[in-house]
Amino acid sequence: MSAQIMRLLRENPDEADVMIYAGNVDPGAVALLACDVPVVEPRWVDNDEYARFALDFCLRNGIDVLIPSRRLEALAHRAADFAAVGTSLMCAPAAAVRALVDKARTYEIAGAAGVPVPPWRVVSDADELFRAVGELAPAGEKLCIKPSGEYSAFGFRILDDRPLSIAGLLAPPQPVASVDQVAAALRVAAAQGERVPELMVMPYLDAPEVSIDCLSGPGGELLVAIPRAKHGRFRTLLDDPALVDIARRLITGFELPYLSNVQLRYLHGEPVLLEVNPRASAGLFQTAFAGVNLPWSAIRLLLHGDSSQPRTPRLGVRLAVTEAVMEVAAPRPFPAVPARPRPTPAPAVETPALAVETTAMGV
């Protein structure tokens, strides 16, 4: 969770005091300087051990709401365990998480539900790669390749067999690789016994990318959807019912509660699915320019079943993404996280401690 989203939680419309505990596997993560209590999370642990860590942390520190943005597979099926220690878990259902961390499975389910998806092929060796390229781009259309699993942008490459030109050399760098280069890497991995994840080959979709931030009820009923079109450093909050309808079908179909995100791009001028994230996006804070506070509304939904979201979002807004600089203290070892006794149940508008986890939200 970013520092900007933490600010939205503190500047909530109920004027409730919050204490934010944030965790990250990287002790140098900037977001750990923005929270009230930072903690370094274990990095190389399996799902069961991570879940035990999170449960113990919530119990010892009296955490009221846990908002994970990574390791969802470890936590999604443990909501009852967190409830037993007094913590409400803001997480999608385990079945949805399992489907959505596999992009190929996501496309299969979405396509069957009538959501427009691009053509794709799953490959894991050089022969499958050449076959997929021949099937998807017989006339040399631009393709890309990326891991089918949840790897963020890691592993993404535009497939381009053209020789490097002076114009290309002087242009801004792009994540480009030739088909032969990728095939060679796959052959070397196979010869060395290296594990190769499933890779998706698909058309390189046209801009703009549209990121739709969604707020929904516990069963996936879409309450608010704000599409953000990305144009370089600029963003436009779109008023486009057709895009919202695509998001609605996905959020409802996967029964995604609270905060989630749908990403679209364009193929032959029509919007198609890029991916669905069963968690909040890194750019969620930009929706504040629509006059809403979606992170706080999600917490109210989780705790009280009421989003307290009376405003209609202000759309058509154009934003510029700028850099921000802040002074921080010199690096120091993190102290042991202090335990906090669980408070007496409070009135509905009062929200106590929140634990947020920052790695996967692009901090």
Side-chain angles (χ1 to χ4, degrees), residues 25-48:
V25 296
D26 178 8
V30 174
L32 296 185
L33 299 171
C35 66
D36 298 301
V37 182
V39 61
V40 178
E41 297 186 351
R43 184 187 293 267
W44 308 116
V45 297
D46 62 22
N47 283 346
D48 288 340

Side-chain angles (χ1 to χ4, degrees), residues 1-2 5 21-24 41 50-51 53-54 58 63-79 82 87-93 97 150 257-260 277-281 299 302 354-362:
M1 179 173 288
S2 66
I5 294 178
Y21 293 67
N24 197 296
E41 297 186 351
Y50 184 80
F53 158 79
C58 290
I63 301 300
D64 296 277
V65 177
L66 177 62
I67 311 174
S69 53
R70 60 183 290 273
R71 303 299 295 263
L72 270 64
E73 287 180 285
L75 305 178
H77 64 291
R78 306 293 293 268
F82 282 98
T87 300
S88 295
L89 177 66
M90 186 182 292
C91 190
V97 171
E150 189 178 35
Y258 312 116
L259 298 174
S260 56
N277 293 307
R279 53 173 174 78
S281 70
I299 287 175
L302 178 66
L354 309 176
V356 299
E357 189 254 344
T358 67
T359 303
M361 291 190 69

Side-chain angles (χ1 to χ4, degrees), residues 45-270:
V45 297
D46 62 22
N47 283 346
D48 288 340
E49 187 173 348
Y50 184 80
R52 286 193 295 270
F53 158 79
L55 281 163
D56 178 69
F57 180 85
C58 290
L59 175 63
R60 288 188 296 106
N61 294 282
I63 301 300
D64 296 277
V65 177
L66 177 62
I67 311 174
S69 53
R70 60 183 290 273
R71 303 299 295 263
L72 270 64
E73 287 180 285
L75 305 178
H77 64 291
R78 306 293 293 268
D81 295 331
F82 282 98
V85 300
T87 300
S88 295
L89 177 66
M90 186 182 292
C91 190
V97 171
R98 284 193 298 270
L100 294 174
V101 296
D102 182 339
K103 294 183 180 68
R105 180 63 178 147
T106 300
Y107 280 21
E108 290 173 357
I109 296 172
V115 172
V117 298
W120 83 95
R121 299 291 186 274
V122 175
V123 306
S124 57
D125 61 36
D127 291 340
E128 292 175 344
L129 172 64
F130 284 119
R131 189 180 310 118
V133 171
E135 292 173 353
L136 293 174
E141 294 90 342
K142 186 180 289 188
L143 300 177
C144 63
I145 189 168
K146 58 185 177 181
S148 180
E150 189 178 35
Y151 288 84
S152 187
F154 297 114
F156 171 81
R157 294 293 187 276
I158 300 169
L159 297 175
D160 191 347
D161 291 330
R162 295 174 302 175
L164 182 64
S165 65
I166 290 298
L169 178 64
L170 299 178
Q174 285 190 307
V176 173
S178 70
V179 175
D180 286 340
Q181 286 175 321
V182 177
L186 292 171
R187 289 192 177 109
V188 170
Q192 296 179 348
E194 184 178 353
R195 177 185 172 274
V196 177
E198 288 190 333
L199 302 168
M200 287 183 67
V201 180
M202 57 184 285
Y204 180 58
L205 302 173
D206 297 329
E209 182 174 316
V210 179
S211 181
I212 308 176
D213 292 305
C214 300
L215 174 72
S216 51
E221 177 193 0
L222 185 65
L223 302 175
V224 179
I226 301 179
R228 286 182 287 119
K230 302 178 181 181
H231 304 272
R233 288 186 172 270
F234 294 93
R235 306 287 185 267
T236 304
L237 306 185
L238 301 175
D239 185 359
D240 190 326
L243 300 182
V244 172
D245 182 63
I246 293 174
R248 186 186 311 278
R249 280 184 277 168
L250 291 162
I251 300 304
T252 302
F254 286 106
E255 298 182 351
L256 297 180
Y258 312 116
L259 298 174
S260 56
N261 176 262
V262 173
Q263 294 179 21
L264 310 174
R265 287 180 77 97
Y266 288 80
L267 181 64
H268 307 310
E270 297 297 326

Side-chain angles (χ1 to χ4, degrees), residues 290-307:
V292 296
N293 189 328
L294 297 188
W296 188 254
S297 294
I299 287 175
R300 287 193 58 100
L301 272 171
L302 178 66
L303 294 180
H304 314 304
D306 167 26
S307 69

